[in-house]
Amino acid sequence: MQIEVVKSKIHRVKVTGADLNYVGSITIDEDLMDAANFIRGEKVQIVNNNNGERLETYIIPGPRKSGEITLNGAAARKVSVGDILILISYTWMDIEDAKKFNPSLVFPNEANNLLT
């Protein structure tokens, strides 16, 4: 049997931009992506702590050490700059493997979204 489990999570990052006119996705500082084991194009769930919105989109990398978290396209309507988000990706695995699996959990500096 396989189950879906959390693969990666970036906990409590601040929205730095919302670009309605960009073609869909979320732009994430590539340093944060590496720390969370996210990859370009990966599907992520976005949980907005400020308004309760939940949505899914895909990742595009942003400049390193920028702290960028920008929602693009229609998703930009679901956030405001300054909102606090949780970003989560999931994977499927055998239940016995899942019992031993440790997800990548990242807790950046909430003031600037950096890893320091």
Side-chain angles (χ1 to χ4, degrees), residues 18 45 91 108:
Q45 179 182 44
T91 190

Side-chain angles (χ1 to χ4, degrees), residues 18-25 55 57 71-79:
D19 186 352
L20 184 60
N21 295 311
Y22 191 89
V23 179
S25 70
L55 63 115
T57 191
L71 278 290
N72 303 302
R77 293 200 183 276
K78 304 289 188 177
V79 301

Side-chain angles (χ1 to χ4, degrees), residues 6 8 11 35 47-48 50 53 63 70 72-73 80 86 92 106 113 116:
V6 172
S8 305
H11 190 77
V47 180
N48 187 327
N50 291 79
E53 290 281 357
T70 299
N72 303 302
S80 295
I86 299 170
W92 286 93
V106 178
N113 294 339
T116 57

Side-chain angles (χ1 to χ4, degrees), residues 74-99:
R77 293 200 183 276
K78 304 289 188 177
V79 301
S80 295
V81 172
D83 282 359
I84 301 299
L85 308 179
I86 299 170
L87 311 176
I88 310 162
S89 70
Y90 300 89
T91 190
W92 286 93
M93 63 178 59
D94 180 80
I95 195 165
E96 293 305 316
D97 292 334
K99 289 177 182 179

